[in-house]
Amino acid sequence: MKKKALIIITTIAILIIAFIVIFNIFDFNEVDSEKQSEVNKDNQLTRQMFLSNDFPAEYQPYIDELKKKYPNWEFKALYTNLDWKYVIDNENVFGKNLVPKSYSDSWKNTNPGEYNVEVDSGWVDSSRTAVEYAMDPRNFLNYVRVFQFEELSYNSSTNNASSIEKILYGTEFYNRIVEYKNSSGTNIVTDKKYSDLILSAAKTSGVSSFHLASRIKQEVGPFLSHSSISGTVSGFEGLYNFYNIGATSSSEPMGAIKNGLQYAKDGKGASDSTKKKYLIPWNTKERAITGGAIFIGSSYINSGQDSIYLQKFHVYDTGSDELFWHQYMTNVLAPYSESKLIYTGYSNSNMLDNAMSFVIPIYENMPDLPCTSPAISASDFSSDNTKVYANVETSLNVRCGPGTSYESLTTIPAGTQMTRIAKGKQKGELWDRVILENGLVGYVFQTYVEEVPDIQAEKVELSLDKTTINKGEIIQLNAKVLPEEAVDKKLTYSSNNTNVAIVSSSGKITGIGSGKATITAKTSNGISSSIDITIYSPVTDILLSTDNVVIQVDGSFIIDAEVLPEDADNRKLNYKSEDDKIARVNEDGKITGISEGNTNIVVSSDEGNISKTIKVTVTRKLQDGEIVFDEKLQIDGNEITGLANKNNTVDDLLNKIQTNYTVEVYNKNGEKISGNSLVGTGSTVKIMDNNSLVIEYTLIMYGDVNGDGKINSIDLLVLQRHILEIEKLGNIYVKAGNVRKNGKAPSSVDCLLIQRHILGLQNIEQ
């Protein structure tokens, strides 16, 4: 397998929390405004992506057929919200996707000056048609090629040595004791087989052992003499690279191999911590297989590129600032080839009936029909739109391509009607391209189809039981095709705004976000009708910056409240004091202290479904000079800012407050702290007169969004999870995340500023 390392080196590894591992390797140079703009753009794209169990109409029939064959398989749609042309434009870049030079010109880039130029020995740049074919997921939704979309995490219930051996069958790795040469040329014989090493590597890295075995078989198999794992390459004796990691293309003889072995030797200049993580140097086969597996898991699978397809085509990544660069291989057909190896391994292990999970990418504005393979000549077909039926005694196979060597998509009973969209005129056996009534597109043997009389659809009538639904609600669209005698009543559904509403192949509309969307139903012969729907987003929660307020008589405090979700339609809040004699609150959430005492302020949604309570303590009014703050501290109501990071101990804070009263400091958990203990966002300062509370303040430190008094990678991850709406922050911490201090919600720009602070490039001013 040929690959092109487009990996950049970083000095920061973001903390692993739950299912998100944010790890990229990149060279961090000064980020100019143009670069920041691009980072922001890609972060915005990432935030818009989402997983769903509902597939677009053009995908659904393939999923249905796979579920019918393997009921235990699970399929999830990854809505990338990336435009198809934009994706292809970014992938169709010289040298990014390669094919063997021996392939026909239909597979190759034929531009002057680029045609047949060897990017790597024997490999040339692919054609745009080849990229479109390889990236169109609909081409590979069959029981074999679908394994390029399989989630590749380690599964202890299915991964075992005997199953690995079945994948390795036919190679020199099969049932073989591991031997290797050290740097001195001495042959070392171990007591372990290759299957043992692969299984151990899978457990350590969290990567499927079947994926690792298939990847090794694809990269260096089937012979142990492959230069990347022989241990005998001059200058790199005793070094091994089973996955060809870092084997970037080079015009030098064996350049790619040597680049890969250089990575095995020293990580190509990687830091000591990185080399330790990946077990570099790879001077034994066990270290090479395990270390490479950790690399694949950390750099790809554990960071969102959890399938062969997503490793080849970088269109989704939970931790990346950019797309289209972090790609493990350059062979445009790598996912196609490796999926067959994985399928064969599962089939030989009798595991195809097991529960498995597949994630299928969805793009915007895709062609109506799956992109055809460059191996299928357009001149072998003539355009058609004829209604035909299966003229067979029992059943007819519908295949992925025009020939029996292609996988079967489904089997249809005798008499089944379909539309022939391209009539075959090949030499020898004739094959037609057809679309079934459920939308599935494939090829059938022309001898077994006959034309049928065709009464076309003339009108589509649509109706809804109600035209406004709540976010998350599902409603069935009622559709009727006229005249009743129309042979083809198949409808395809689409939404003009999938951020607001999506529609399934059966016409079920799901509310995604607040707004309006137009749902369109279209017949196979182009007759369409549309209907408008409004999605209402109700309030689900109210976030308050604090649930405890201390103010003086005649003092005031403005309640900082955030309504969730962000797209809630009715964001109005109502405020009520339980005792107006102690404290009053106006319609804008401003609390005013009336007399000493305690009461509660109730904050409720205008819809009446959510309410929160704030405890209010009113103390006597302080006189000028009773409490004096250092000029570097800014006091806004009951909030203190301006305490410099790295000079934020309790003692640092107390030195900036002058008063005859006792000053007590508590951390975000309400624990009293002193001396060199750090204060951070959410820490409170209580001014006490003996045992009586005089006034209380809450501290905000910009960039410290988790309240530990430090600004580090944990804060970056916590803020990213808030922005992605994985785990929302309270308002006081949201304020701390607004590093720009512009009063807006934190964004990817604030994340970038925190990252630059961590790397020492630009300090966050308090």
Side-chain angles (χ1 to χ4, degrees):
M1 173 87 46
K2 305 296 177 182
K3 61 189 71 54
K4 190 167 187 169
L6 300 171
I7 303 173
I8 309 174
I9 296 182
T10 186
T11 60
I12 204 169
I14 303 300
L15 181 70
I16 302 174
I17 292 186
F19 60 92
I20 292 182
V21 177
I22 299 179
F23 178 84
N24 291 302
I25 306 176
F26 60 99
D27 289 323
F28 194 97
N29 299 318
E30 282 294 328
V31 182
D32 57 25
S33 59
E34 181 179 350
K35 179 64 175 177
Q36 289 185 17
S37 176
E38 290 299 316
V39 170
N40 297 342
K41 174 184 176 183
D42 287 327
N43 279 344
Q44 180 65 29
L45 287 172
T46 302
R47 286 200 300 276
Q48 292 174 349
M49 296 178 181
F50 64 93
L51 285 169
S52 172
N53 291 324
D54 289 323
F55 282 84
E58 62 268 28
Y59 282 70
Q60 194 63 52
Y62 303 92
I63 303 300
D64 291 342
E65 290 298 328
L66 287 168
K67 287 287 289 183
K68 190 186 304 180
K69 188 176 182 68
Y70 295 106
N72 292 326
W73 290 6
E74 179 187 11
F75 298 90
K76 292 175 279 187
L78 173 61
Y79 282 86
T80 66
N81 274 337
L82 296 174
D83 180 78
W84 175 249
K85 182 179 182 300
Y86 171 74
V87 170
I88 300 303
D89 286 345
N90 278 274
E91 285 288 348
N92 187 41
V93 176
F94 183 82
K96 185 172 284 190
N97 289 284
L98 308 182
V99 293
K101 190 174 183 179
S102 59
Y103 273 27
S104 65
D105 284 355
S106 61
W107 287 93
K108 296 186 287 188
N109 175 359
T110 57
N111 292 334
E114 298 176 342
Y115 174 62
N116 271 347
V117 174
E118 293 194 21
V119 179
D120 200 359
S121 180
W123 292 78
V124 299
D125 193 48
S126 64
S127 65
R128 185 180 182 92
T129 303
V131 175
E132 290 173 334
Y133 168 71
M135 290 200 70
D136 190 337
R138 297 170 296 181
N139 285 319
F140 312 110
L141 297 180
N142 63 70
Y143 63 95
V144 174
R145 307 301 174 179
V146 73
F147 282 93
Q148 64 187 271
F149 307 114
E150 182 193 9
E151 289 187 300
L152 298 178
S153 301
Y154 172 74
N155 186 333
S156 60
S157 65
T158 58
N159 287 207
N160 55 70
S162 62
S163 297
I164 298 171
E165 290 288 0
K166 292 178 181 179
I167 295 176
L168 298 177
Y169 183 77
T171 72
E172 292 183 354
F173 302 98
Y174 174 69
N175 202 27
R176 186 75 167 260
I177 292 293
V178 177
E179 300 180 38
Y180 67 93
K181 294 183 182 298
N182 62 19
S183 59
S184 301
T186 302
N187 195 56
I188 309 296
V189 180
T190 73
D191 59 353
K192 297 178 181 178
K193 295 181 181 180
Y194 285 95
S195 57
D196 297 324
L197 298 191
I198 293 171
L199 182 59
S200 176
K203 294 177 180 178
T204 300
S205 64
V207 180
S208 164
S209 64
F210 305 138
H211 174 58
L212 296 179
S214 300
R215 180 60 60 85
I216 290 172
K217 192 172 178 180
Q218 181 79 10
E219 294 291 335
V220 298
F223 304 113
L224 290 170
S225 58
H226 191 286
S227 298
S228 292
I229 58 171
S230 68
T232 60
V233 175
S234 178
F236 300 95
E237 291 84 355
L239 293 170
Y240 304 88
N241 192 333
F242 279 79
Y243 310 98
N244 277 329
I245 294 168
T248 54
S249 304
S250 171
S251 58
E252 176 190 358
M254 291 184 64
I257 298 294
K258 291 180 179 178
N259 283 336
L261 291 176
Q262 185 67 47
Y263 192 92
K265 182 177 182 179
D266 61 9
K268 288 187 177 179
S271 66
D272 289 341
S273 61
T274 297
K275 288 189 284 189
K276 181 179 179 181
K277 179 177 182 177
Y278 297 145
L279 308 181
I280 294 172
W282 294 338
N283 51 14
T284 72
K285 290 187 174 180
E286 183 169 9
R287 288 176 69 92
I289 290 174
T290 302
I294 296 171
F295 175 92
I296 292 171
S298 297
S299 297
Y300 294 92
I301 291 173
N302 298 329
S303 61
Q305 291 176 265
D306 192 16
S307 70
I308 296 172
Y309 181 96
L310 292 176
Q311 290 177 30
K312 172 65 192 88
F313 303 115
H314 185 201
V315 295
Y316 173 71
D317 193 325
T318 59
S320 175
D321 285 337
E322 298 182 81
L323 300 176
F324 311 116
W325 65 272
H326 191 241
Q327 303 190 161
Y328 183 74
M329 39 207 151
T330 50
N331 179 357
V332 75
L333 289 177
Y336 176 87
S337 301
E338 292 193 26
S339 60
K340 179 65 176 290
L341 296 175
I342 297 173
Y343 165 78
T344 301
Y346 280 132
S347 179
N348 291 341
S349 304
N350 295 317
M351 297 192 304
L352 291 175
D353 289 325
N354 290 3
M356 300 181 191
S357 180
F358 302 86
V359 176
I360 318 298
I362 311 296
Y363 303 103
E364 297 292 320
N365 303 314
M366 294 190 71
D368 290 337
L369 299 176
C371 299
T372 55
S373 167
I376 300 174
S377 174
S379 62
D380 285 341
F381 296 87
S382 59
S383 296
D384 197 17
N385 186 31
T386 304
K387 199 73 174 180
V388 296
Y389 69 95
N391 186 19
V392 291
E393 291 186 4
T394 55
S395 61
L396 176 64
N397 281 321
V398 181
R399 298 186 177 275
C400 300
T404 55
S405 62
Y406 290 91
E407 290 87 13
S408 174
L409 291 170
T410 187
T411 301
I412 56 176
T416 300
Q417 294 187 4
M418 66 204 94
T419 301
R420 180 168 58 200
I421 55 179
K423 188 173 183 179
K425 53 180 183 178
Q426 307 92 348
K427 294 179 180 178
E429 290 185 349
L430 296 177
W431 289 79
D432 293 340
R433 196 179 193 201
V434 299
I435 181 168
L436 305 187
E437 290 188 355
N438 65 0
L440 186 146
V441 177
Y443 295 82
V444 295
F445 193 33
Q446 192 177 101
T447 302
Y448 297 139
V449 296
E450 293 288 342
E451 296 184 10
V452 297
D454 191 5
I455 300 176
Q456 298 286 334
E458 299 175 2
K459 184 179 180 181
V460 178
E461 294 181 349
L462 301 179
S463 65
L464 286 167
D465 293 339
K466 54 184 178 179
T467 56
T468 298
I469 64 172
N470 283 340
K471 178 180 177 180
E473 187 177 352
I474 299 174
I475 188 173
Q476 178 67 51
L477 176 62
N478 305 309
K480 186 176 183 180
V481 178
L482 299 174
E484 295 287 352
E485 298 79 17
V487 175
D488 185 0
K489 294 185 178 182
K490 167 65 181 175
L491 290 171
T492 55
Y493 299 92
S494 63
S495 168
N496 74 332
N497 191 345
T498 54
N499 290 323
V500 171
I502 59 174
V503 58
S504 72
S505 61
S506 60
K508 289 183 178 180
I509 301 171
T510 302
I512 299 299
S514 174
K516 297 180 181 295
T518 298
I519 307 300
T520 300
K522 187 177 182 180
T523 65
S524 300
N525 65 330
I527 304 299
S528 65
S529 181
S530 299
I531 192 168
D532 294 330
I533 188 166
T534 300
I535 308 302
Y536 183 84
S537 181
V539 176
T540 59
D541 200 2
I542 301 171
L543 295 182
L544 301 175
S545 60
T546 182
D547 58 4
N548 185 25
V549 173
V550 179
I551 58 176
Q552 304 170 52
V553 172
D554 295 334
S556 63
F557 178 88
I558 297 177
I559 297 172
D560 189 354
E562 180 185 0
V563 175
L564 295 181
E566 292 182 359
D567 66 347
D569 284 276
N570 186 353
R571 305 184 65 79
K572 185 178 185 302
L573 293 174
N574 298 315
Y575 305 91
K576 182 179 180 180
S577 172
E578 292 184 352
D579 190 342
D580 286 341
K581 295 179 181 179
I582 301 295
R584 295 173 184 166
V585 61
N586 66 13
E587 62 182 10
D588 297 320
K590 181 179 180 180
I591 304 172
T592 301
I594 304 301
S595 63
E596 294 182 46
N598 298 290
T599 188
N600 294 318
I601 301 296
V602 178
V603 184
S604 60
S605 65
D606 196 49
E607 296 174 347
N609 59 331
I610 304 292
S611 65
K612 294 292 178 69
T613 300
I614 299 176
K615 180 182 177 181
V616 178
T617 300
V618 180
T619 62
R620 69 175 179 82
K621 185 174 182 178
L622 293 171
Q623 303 301 312
D624 292 341
E626 287 190 77
I627 304 173
V628 178
F629 294 94
D630 187 283
E631 62 182 9
K632 293 182 180 179
L633 297 181
Q634 291 90 49
I635 311 300
D636 184 7
N638 287 78
E639 294 176 351
I640 299 177
T641 57
L643 186 64
N645 175 238
K646 296 185 179 179
N647 291 297
N648 58 318
T649 66
V650 173
D651 286 342
D652 291 328
L653 179 61
L654 293 179
N655 287 336
K656 291 179 171 55
I657 303 174
Q658 297 181 17
T659 182
N660 291 327
Y661 296 116
T662 302
V663 182
E664 298 178 353
V665 181
Y666 296 81
N667 63 19
K668 65 174 183 178
N669 298 319
E671 301 164 341
K672 189 174 182 180
I673 55 177
S674 61
N676 292 324
S677 297
L678 295 180
V679 294
T681 301
S683 295
T684 55
V685 178
K686 295 184 179 182
I687 310 297
M688 306 293 295
D689 184 4
N690 293 322
N691 292 324
S692 298
L693 180 65
V694 176
I695 192 68
E696 179 176 312
Y697 300 92
T698 300
L699 186 80
I700 296 175
M701 179 176 290
Y702 295 105
D704 173 30
V705 295
N706 75 330
D708 63 0
K710 304 173 185 177
I711 302 175
N712 54 28
S713 58
I714 299 177
D715 297 291
L716 181 58
L717 179 59
V718 170
L719 188 58
Q720 286 174 329
R721 290 172 64 84
H722 170 80
I723 293 171
L724 294 171
E725 296 187 0
I726 296 172
E727 187 174 350
K728 298 292 287 185
L729 292 169
N731 277 355
I732 194 72
Y733 300 101
V734 172
K735 283 187 177 181
N738 180 216
V739 178
R740 293 168 292 168
K741 299 188 274 297
N742 60 2
K744 297 182 179 180
S747 71
S748 57
V749 175
D750 298 292
C751 290
L752 181 61
L753 292 174
I754 292 175
Q755 188 178 56
R756 290 174 65 82
H757 176 93
I758 294 169
L759 295 172
L761 299 176
Q762 179 181 341
N763 286 329
I764 295 174
E765 296 295 332
Q766 296 298 324

